[in-house]
Amino acid sequence: ATAGAARRSADGVRVNRALCERFSRRESDALVGQQRVRINGAVAVPGDRICESDTLTLDGKKVDVPRRLFHDARQDIQRGAIAARGKGELHGGGQIGEFEKVYVVYHKPVGVVCTTDESVRNNVVTACKFPRRVFPVGRLDQTSSGVLLLTSDGRLPNAALRAENKLPKVYEVAVHRAVSPADLRTLRSGVVITTVAQRDRGKARALTAATLPCRVEKLAPDRLQFTLTEGRNRQLRKMLEALGYHVTALHRSEFMGIALAGLEPGAWRLATARETRIIQRAIDVQKPAS
């Protein structure tokens, strides 16, 4: 028997999330797929949720699920945190206070421009259709896709993008040919590129310097996963171009620990309680000492 039929409601914590206290999300999904996880004795399936009264086991041994996960799940439901297919309708009839700061996770599709200028075709404000005025935290190129935070909180961009905070950004990049082992080592250690460092009264100042060392994993001969803690303009494209590679696709899968979690291209949702804590911690770091 499987637990899925009884555990498809919005209540409780997803079984893979409950396991993520001990395992990565990928490992958790694999454990569920291998039928090694059970809820109240029934085999768990992807998408199942558990409540506080349930018993979760892995290979027959009980797994203790932190109570805060259930608290977060209840808070998400109460806030109406999940958007109904990203069309501006909050699940459960949730409302956002007029002056409440909002944090929106948006799956930016290729073609959308990260500008709040609504005269620009395919601008992110018009494309997202969020019912409140928000602006993007950083940017993704028009030809790139992936997770993009939108917010009404003016403190967040500086907190999220300052290099010294070392908040991770994860990208999956496809190139036109296989990446050699030597070039892979070079990408990891740093590549000298020229980027726009800042703009002063409309004038751009160029910076020519090596990129910081970063984590690079090979997903396929022509596909790489980068984890960056800096964010220079068009950094990944320029790093790869410097080594003779043409980027055919670039997707940001994670930003400061926040992922899309199955969000379809063009859809949005409000940040969960866990994600809001990540954002708040980043903002708190920016506060001056009293």
Side-chain angles (χ1 to χ4, degrees):
T2 63
R7 297 297 179 201
R8 295 289 181 173
S9 71
D11 296 329
V13 176
R14 285 188 180 275
V15 64
N16 61 346
R17 174 74 182 104
L19 292 170
C20 278
E21 293 297 305
R22 294 173 51 189
F23 305 96
S24 70
R25 184 174 294 275
R26 184 176 296 180
E27 290 170 337
S28 299
D29 290 340
L31 291 171
V32 174
Q34 294 163 7
Q35 299 189 346
R36 296 168 58 186
V37 181
R38 291 176 178 263
I39 301 174
N40 300 330
V43 176
V45 298
D48 280 355
R49 293 176 180 268
I50 63 170
C51 297
E52 287 186 82
S53 59
D54 293 328
T55 299
L56 180 69
T57 60
L58 170 63
D59 295 334
K61 297 181 180 179
K62 184 178 178 180
V63 176
D64 292 323
V65 183
R67 293 185 63 183
R68 63 176 173 78
L69 296 185
F70 298 106
H71 171 78
D72 287 353
R74 288 192 295 269
Q75 186 176 1
D76 288 342
I77 294 170
Q78 291 166 1
R79 293 177 61 236
I82 305 301
R85 297 185 62 82
K87 294 181 179 178
E89 304 165 2
L90 295 183
H91 173 77
Q95 300 293 321
I96 303 172
E98 181 180 359
F99 301 106
E100 180 182 352
K101 293 181 174 63
V102 293
Y103 308 107
V104 180
V105 181
Y106 175 56
H107 187 162
K108 181 189 123 33
V110 170
V112 171
V113 183
C114 289
T115 178
T116 57
D117 185 348
E118 296 187 49
S119 68
V120 175
R121 185 178 180 184
N122 294 330
N123 69 84
V124 68
V125 174
T126 302
C128 181
K129 296 182 175 67
F130 188 72
R132 283 267 302 278
R133 179 170 178 77
V134 290
F135 51 86
V137 179
R139 66 188 301 275
L140 280 173
D141 292 336
Q142 186 173 4
T143 52
S144 301
S145 63
V147 59
L148 178 70
L149 291 187
L150 302 168
T151 186
S152 61
D153 189 344
R155 303 170 300 171
L156 181 55
N158 190 52
L161 301 175
R162 287 177 68 91
E164 54 265 38
N165 289 349
K166 296 184 178 179
L167 297 174
K169 299 176 283 289
V170 181
Y171 300 84
E172 295 179 7
V173 184
V175 293
H176 76 294
R177 61 183 174 89
V179 178
S180 71
D183 287 339
L184 188 61
R185 289 191 294 270
T186 301
L187 290 167
R188 288 169 175 160
S189 61
V191 180
V192 175
I193 59 174
T194 299
T195 55
V196 175
Q198 67 180 42
R199 296 180 184 276
D200 183 12
R201 298 181 181 179
K203 295 182 179 180
R205 181 170 65 85
L207 170 67
T208 299
T211 57
L212 295 178
C214 63
R215 181 177 179 179
V216 187
E217 296 181 24
K218 206 167 189 179
L219 304 179
D222 59 351
R223 288 181 60 239
L224 303 174
Q225 182 183 77
F226 290 79
T227 302
L228 304 182
T229 56
E230 64 176 337
R232 295 168 61 181
N233 183 254
R234 296 177 62 84
Q235 177 173 334
L236 290 176
R237 295 179 186 274
K238 292 189 175 186
M239 289 172 66
L240 288 158
E241 288 169 2
L243 298 179
Y245 298 92
H246 170 67
V247 173
T248 58
L250 193 155
H251 177 82
R252 184 161 68 191
S253 57
E254 190 174 310
F255 181 73
M256 58 186 293
I258 298 172
L260 292 169
L263 202 61
E264 297 179 0
W268 60 263
R269 60 177 175 80
L270 294 180
T272 65
R274 181 189 69 85
E275 293 165 343
T276 301
R277 283 202 302 272
I278 292 174
I279 291 169
Q280 192 58 56
R281 281 198 298 268
I283 292 172
D284 288 344
V285 170
Q286 299 301 115
K287 291 180 179 178
S290 57

